[in-house]
Amino acid sequence: MVVFSDLDGSLLDHDTYDWRPARPALEILRKRDIPLVLVSSKTLAELADYRVQLQLRHPVVAENGAAMDVPADYFPGSTMLSTATISRDQLQTVYNEVKVANEFRCQAFYELGVPGIVRETGLTERKAMRANDRKASEPILWLDSEERAALFSQEMQARGLRCTRGGRFLHLMADTGKDEAVRQLIDAYMRKWPGTTLTSVSLGDGPNDLGMLASTDIAVVIPGKHEHRMSLTTQKRVLRPTSPGPVGWNEAMLTLLAEQQDVQRATHKDGE
């Protein structure tokens, strides 16, 4: 098993950023040496903190798939993983042109600055600085209508960019996403463990997680604090815990981990 998880609103509480309610499931993952790959809109600098807090030594996917960090020698040397090539400066140039031409009401992170990011997220100044340390994406506080948001997305798509919606912000990036990064990593894990049956699990709460959720064997849709419908067309297994954030995350993962243990026991018994 390999687990891919969104952070804000999923493993982390939407308001407090607390992950501790998920500690029981996290402990089992650690004891069974099951990889937990963080897949987030957060920056690599932010994810470095959570790697330490959660005692993780696995890859992380940052900026909604635009950046990735894999520990040295984690995968075989022939494994190649790619990320977005467009820079944040280039994104800001296109964003500003589209915003001015269409008179969209919105503010990107670079316009908000650290004080504005603190105000909109509740992060400390230090954490807000890390959140603004981006390489290939630009979060956008949307202040216009939903109809205009769709137009904004179309304008960006016409320019070869992608605009996705997270729990709090729109995210502008190259035409990539969490789904591409997750599929690359699943392939890398299959090469790392040839001859084994790999079950992939993903957990997420926002529209920007839909591609990732559709890319794994099992999808866990965490109740989100937004009004956007989280519908999946995949025929794969979908779990929908009743509780939001890390409580629901823990609930779903404990269910899956118990099932995994039952399967392992049955397999061992059959082999006796």
Side-chain angles (χ1 to χ4, degrees), residues 69 88 115 136 138 199-200 202 207:
D69 181 69
R88 187 183 185 187
E138 188 67 40
T199 299
S200 56
S202 60

Side-chain angles (χ1 to χ4, degrees), residues 3 5 9 21 23 35 45 59 82 91 119 132 134 137 143 163 168 183-184 192 225 228 238:
V3 180
S5 180
R23 193 190 298 273
S82 62
L91 290 173
R119 182 182 66 249
N132 200 32
R134 296 186 171 268
S137 68
L143 303 170
C163 186
R168 287 183 174 85
R183 286 194 292 269
Q184 283 191 64
K192 181 181 176 76
K225 288 194 173 183
H228 303 280
V238 179

Side-chain angles (χ1 to χ4, degrees), residues 1-270:
M1 178 185 287
V2 59
V3 180
F4 300 92
S5 180
D6 173 53
L7 280 179
D8 291 354
S10 298
L11 180 53
L12 303 183
D13 183 89
H14 182 274
D15 299 314
T16 66
Y17 302 100
D18 187 13
W19 54 266
R20 287 173 296 181
R23 193 190 298 273
L26 289 169
E27 288 292 339
I28 296 174
L29 288 173
R30 190 176 300 114
K31 288 178 181 177
R32 296 188 190 175
D33 200 23
I34 296 172
L36 170 58
V37 179
L38 304 181
V39 185
S40 175
S41 61
K42 292 185 180 298
T43 65
L44 288 174
E46 291 177 286
L47 293 181
D49 285 344
Y50 284 105
R51 258 182 172 162
V52 173
Q53 290 183 41
L54 299 169
Q55 301 177 45
L56 300 178
R57 54 179 181 80
H58 308 292
V60 293
V61 177
E63 301 187 41
N64 283 310
M68 189 186 307
D69 181 69
V70 179
D73 301 322
Y74 189 87
F75 291 122
S78 60
T79 300
M80 299 296 293
L81 299 172
S82 62
T83 53
T85 56
I86 190 168
S87 71
R88 187 183 185 187
D89 287 342
Q90 292 172 303
L91 290 173
Q92 290 173 355
T93 297
V94 176
Y95 160 82
N96 192 58
E97 291 174 353
V98 171
K99 176 182 177 179
V100 171
N102 294 273
E103 298 183 347
F104 288 123
R105 292 186 296 111
C106 52
Q107 284 188 293
F109 260 32
Y110 78 92
E111 295 172 305
L112 287 170
V114 171
I117 296 171
V118 169
R119 182 182 66 249
E120 296 298 332
T121 63
L123 294 171
T124 64
E125 182 175 345
R126 173 183 172 275
K127 289 183 177 180
M129 291 175 66
R130 286 178 173 262
N132 200 32
D133 182 18
R134 296 186 171 268
K135 309 302 180 187
S137 68
E138 188 67 40
I140 299 165
L141 176 64
W142 191 252
L143 303 170
D144 218 319
S145 67
E146 286 302 309
E147 291 77 14
R148 299 267 287 165
L151 175 60
F152 179 83
S153 182
Q154 291 170 11
E155 291 284 348
M156 293 304 176
Q157 187 175 8
R159 290 162 174 79
L161 302 178
R162 181 182 296 192
C163 186
T164 63
R165 183 181 290 277
R168 287 183 174 85
F169 304 102
L170 298 182
H171 295 270
L172 183 63
M173 67 196 78
D175 191 15
T176 186
K178 293 183 177 183
D179 49 341
E180 285 93 341
V182 165
R183 286 194 292 269
Q184 283 191 64
L185 286 167
I186 290 173
D187 182 64
Y189 276 111
M190 292 178 71
R191 295 185 184 187
K192 181 181 176 76
W193 300 319
T196 62
T197 300
L198 180 68
T199 299
S200 56
V201 179
S202 60
L203 304 94
D205 75 308
N208 62 327
D209 296 317
L210 286 171
M212 173 180 72
L213 293 169
S215 298
T216 56
D217 299 313
I218 301 172
V220 179
V221 181
I222 306 291
K225 288 194 173 183
H226 55 76
E227 299 177 354
H228 303 280
R229 186 176 180 183
M230 293 287 289
S231 57
L232 287 170
T233 57
T234 177
Q235 298 301 309
K236 298 176 183 179
R237 184 179 178 189
V238 179
L239 277 67
R240 294 181 182 269
T242 56
S243 300
V247 175
W249 195 100
N250 187 64
E251 171 191 327
M253 282 309 307
L254 287 179
T255 296
L256 294 173
L257 290 167
E259 292 176 357
Q260 183 201 43
Q261 189 172 41
D262 289 343
V263 170
Q264 290 175 341
R265 285 174 176 169
T267 302
H268 178 72
K269 186 176 181 179
D270 290 343

